[in-house]
Amino acid sequence: MSTPNQSARPAVSAGTAAASLSRVTIATEGEPDTDFDSENENSAIARKNKHKPEIVKEPDGIGPTGRPYRTIPEPPPLEKHGPAKVIAMCNQKGGVGKTTSTINLGAALAECDRRVLLVDFDPQGALSVGLGIQPHELEQTVYNVIMERSVNIADVVRKTRVDNVDLLPSNIDLSAAEVQLVAEVGREHTLLRVLRPVMDYYDYVLVDCQPSLGLLTVNALTAADGVLIPLECEFFSLRGVALLIDTIEKVQERLNPKLDITGILATMFDPRTLHSKEVMARVVEAFGDIVFDTVINRTVRFPETTVAGEPITSWAPKSAGALAYRALAREVIAR
């Protein structure tokens, strides 16, 4: 089997995507009325699905996307660190797995000997909480770095429990920045200006965006080299992707010509339901090769890691979720 060329991914236009997605009809009858979050260890189906990500090791197998797995090379060793590639984790719909994917992808990249900076760019501070930091207790956050010229990013970045993963934390103060930045000159480039001093130290900067397409998200897209779109395998999440891609194209044209779509990551996939499978088929039909082979299944492990304040790669290193994010890290590095 020939290996698809990762760099030959076709460009995706908002018009094409919208036209494809507007024809979507999702089957609902006959689906099992199940909640995969409440995994039943006594269920033969649950046990079977729990081990499905293991087939990542078999490139010739057919994955959840309906395509054969592409052969992904081992991440090459680095002779030196930096300059960082900035990836915005973006979707205007909430609850699709942006924060979970930011934490776990960052940890998986670190296992590949990459230095990673995670930027919490959501006033809710969920990324900070997911790494065991209480946002309301912070004296300085990303808000201070972007709004106060006297505050250096190196003074605010914090070490995490994961080796080679640092955090630029956030809290509710960041919500004021969207209003205050309106009067600033070059307001869309504020985050880029903040990140420049540390770009040579890190290999990847992952920006966890808020669930909206406001000024903060535009800042993240302007600073980014690529956009990773976590997409819940659910109908309403699917319908909103064309709007996001339209925003990405506008940022490409007006603010950041180098911006590209790194990939679309299917999350919260339930392989037992017809609904999830049909949404997956429509996503692959509309976006083609930019859809990652890696798919993140629903599991109770992810809420557990939030309580523990650490990524799944260290909390449950042999779990299906940990294996999936390690596979995703390899795909991201290859692209």
Side-chain angles (χ1 to χ4, degrees):
M1 183 186 73
S2 61
T3 302
N5 187 350
Q6 292 282 351
S7 62
R9 292 176 287 135
V12 176
S13 71
T16 302
S20 298
L21 297 179
S22 65
R23 297 192 298 270
V24 170
T25 55
I26 303 297
T28 56
E29 294 183 2
E31 294 189 50
D33 184 14
T34 57
D35 181 3
F36 200 54
D37 281 325
S38 55
E39 260 179 354
N40 183 353
E41 295 298 335
N42 296 321
S43 165
I45 295 178
R47 286 197 300 271
K48 178 181 176 183
N49 289 328
K50 181 178 180 182
H51 297 290
K52 270 197 170 182
E54 295 283 1
I55 62 175
V56 170
K57 299 177 182 178
E58 301 174 10
D60 293 330
I62 300 297
T65 61
R67 306 171 307 199
Y69 281 106
R70 291 169 281 193
T71 301
I72 307 298
E74 286 289 336
L78 297 178
E79 296 182 359
K80 66 181 185 68
H81 294 286
K85 180 175 182 179
V86 181
I87 298 177
M89 311 290 285
C90 188
N91 191 326
Q92 79 273 20
K93 186 178 184 300
V96 298
K98 290 190 299 294
T99 300
T100 297
S101 295
T102 303
I103 293 172
N104 293 298
L105 174 58
L109 289 169
E111 288 185 352
C112 298
D113 296 322
R114 268 59 178 177
R115 285 182 185 164
V116 182
L117 174 65
L118 305 182
V119 179
D120 191 346
F121 218 47
D122 184 348
Q124 298 178 69
L127 181 65
S128 302
V129 173
L131 288 167
I133 295 171
Q134 298 304 316
H136 63 276
E137 297 177 357
L138 298 172
E139 294 184 3
Q140 290 185 320
T141 66
V142 63
Y143 168 80
N144 301 94
V145 182
I146 65 177
M147 298 307 302
E148 302 172 18
R149 296 274 181 167
S150 60
V151 179
N152 192 297
I153 185 173
D155 299 329
V156 182
V157 167
R158 303 170 64 106
K159 296 290 183 183
T160 69
R161 301 177 185 177
V162 184
D163 291 339
N164 285 330
V165 177
D166 294 340
L167 170 69
L168 183 57
S170 171
N171 60 18
I172 194 63
D173 292 345
L174 185 61
S175 59
E178 193 142 22
V179 177
Q180 295 171 339
L181 283 173
V182 170
E184 293 286 329
V185 176
R187 56 186 178 268
E188 297 91 352
H189 294 84
T190 303
L191 180 61
L192 178 60
R193 170 182 60 79
V194 164
L195 293 175
R196 277 184 183 138
V198 297
M199 292 290 281
D200 289 336
Y201 182 78
Y202 295 102
D203 300 306
Y204 286 91
V205 176
L206 305 183
V207 184
D208 184 27
C209 299
Q210 64 177 350
S212 77
L213 296 178
L215 184 54
L216 293 179
T217 299
V218 171
N219 257 266
L221 295 176
T222 304
D225 299 294
V227 186
L228 194 155
I229 306 173
L231 176 64
E232 181 185 7
C233 290
E234 192 269 340
F235 178 69
F236 289 116
S237 184
L238 179 65
R239 299 288 292 186
V241 174
L243 178 60
L244 173 59
I245 292 180
D246 184 51
T247 300
I248 291 171
E249 288 185 343
K250 289 178 181 177
V251 172
Q252 285 174 326
E253 293 171 3
R254 305 172 188 179
L255 297 168
N256 183 9
K258 66 179 173 53
L259 182 64
D260 193 13
I261 298 178
T262 300
I264 295 176
L265 174 66
T267 63
M268 303 183 188
F269 180 70
D270 186 344
R272 302 170 301 172
T273 66
L274 182 59
H275 184 85
S276 283
K277 292 176 181 178
E278 293 222 3
V279 170
M280 176 70 75
R282 297 291 79 77
V283 171
V284 173
E285 178 185 345
F287 299 104
D289 285 345
I290 68 171
V291 180
F292 287 111
D293 289 346
T294 301
V295 172
I296 310 301
N297 284 11
R298 287 188 183 273
T299 172
V300 295
R301 288 296 190 181
F302 292 122
E304 290 175 1
T305 62
T306 303
V307 176
E310 60 182 282
I312 196 170
T313 51
S314 57
W315 175 254
K318 296 183 180 180
S319 67
L323 294 173
Y325 276 108
R326 291 188 183 107
L328 176 63
R330 290 179 57 171
E331 287 198 71
V332 168
I333 292 172
R335 293 187 180 190

